[in-house]
Amino acid sequence: MAGKTGGTGTSLRGERPHRRRIQPAEIRIDDLMSAAADLFIAHGIEATTVDHIVARAGVAKGTFYHYFNTKTDVIRALRERFSQDFLSRVAAAIAACPRDEHAARLSAWINGAVATYLANFRLHDVVFHDFPHSQRQSREKDEVIAQLAVLLEEGRAAGVWAVPQSRAVALVLFDGMHGVVDDAIAAGEHAPEPLCHLLSGLFLRMLAI
């Protein structure tokens, strides 16, 4: 998720020679973002400089400033990419289920969300590390909640479960999923299947009429 991340054993300088071939803007941006993600995960945001990012991406420093004003702009772009990738992966899992199988679609949301989060929690921790409690809403989270609320509303309309307020219930389910997965990560448990089984059982019982 969120591009080419990893490489936690990398050094901050000298990873790739500068490439002089002309590349499309989207590839240059992706290279810069992926290089920044690798370095942020491996060394932290504060220790990573623009010089380190361009060295890792194999581009000139001017290329960085052509697309980003500051390192903070890269973090915002990575946050956006993380969220969009999360949404698309979860949407693909849901779309694999028939539209009238609402319990299966909710389980698919859980499976997609848990697997995606577990696969990319290190990047998540980096790009959302400074999210303040005073900022009680964000566009990224609102999009995730809206996706789940639609799923819940469809099930309610079909009479499958009782959902008094789809957005409120979506918030409870999302934050519950997030908390359970965070607890598993802290315990060193990274297998998605047991968590998905647990959450599916809990959430479907909560929603039962």
Side-chain angles (χ1 to χ4, degrees):
M1 182 180 179
K4 301 166 284 187
T5 60
T8 54
T10 61
S11 63
L12 280 172
R13 290 187 178 276
E15 280 80 357
R16 301 175 187 171
H18 285 284
R19 292 169 296 182
R20 297 189 181 278
R21 66 183 183 274
I22 298 174
Q23 295 177 314
E26 60 270 19
I27 293 179
R28 288 189 179 275
I29 293 170
D30 185 71
D31 284 350
L32 285 164
M33 290 172 63
S34 296
D38 286 342
L39 293 168
F40 291 160
I41 291 169
H43 305 288
I45 290 174
E46 294 302 321
T48 301
T49 67
V50 171
D51 285 337
H52 300 145
I53 294 170
V54 297
R56 173 73 174 166
V59 299
K61 196 170 184 178
T63 302
F64 177 94
Y65 288 111
H66 182 72
Y67 299 110
F68 302 102
N69 291 323
T70 65
K71 188 169 64 174
T72 300
D73 289 336
V74 181
I75 297 169
R76 292 194 185 103
L78 285 169
R79 185 179 293 175
E80 170 70 15
R81 188 166 74 174
F82 181 99
S83 300
Q84 291 305 312
D85 190 67
F86 184 96
L87 287 166
S88 64
R89 286 173 183 256
V90 172
I94 295 169
C97 300
R99 292 193 65 85
D100 60 347
E101 293 187 10
H102 301 285
R105 286 165 69 82
L106 179 59
S107 292
W109 179 88
I110 295 167
N111 292 341
V114 170
T116 302
Y117 187 31
L118 281 172
N120 293 278
F121 71 89
R122 292 180 180 85
L123 180 60
H124 174 279
D125 292 351
V126 166
V127 299
F128 290 98
H129 79 289
D130 63 345
F131 192 79
H133 288 291
S134 59
Q135 189 177 346
R136 297 196 180 277
Q137 285 183 297
S138 71
R139 181 176 54 79
E140 293 88 358
K141 184 173 180 179
D142 276 347
E143 290 176 346
V144 172
I145 296 304
Q147 181 188 55
L148 179 54
V150 168
L151 199 66
L152 295 171
E153 186 60 26
E154 290 173 348
R156 184 206 62 76
V160 175
W161 46 55
V163 182
Q165 296 183 33
S166 295
R167 178 177 170 82
V169 176
L171 285 163
V172 170
L173 299 189
F174 175 78
D175 288 339
M177 178 278 297
H178 212 294
V180 168
V181 177
D182 278 341
D183 193 60
I185 292 169
E189 300 169 3
H190 296 170
E193 292 81 5
L195 299 176
C196 293
H197 180 74
L198 170 66
L199 290 168
S200 291
L202 286 171
F203 290 173
L204 289 172
R205 284 196 295 273
M206 287 169 57
L207 296 172
I209 295 176

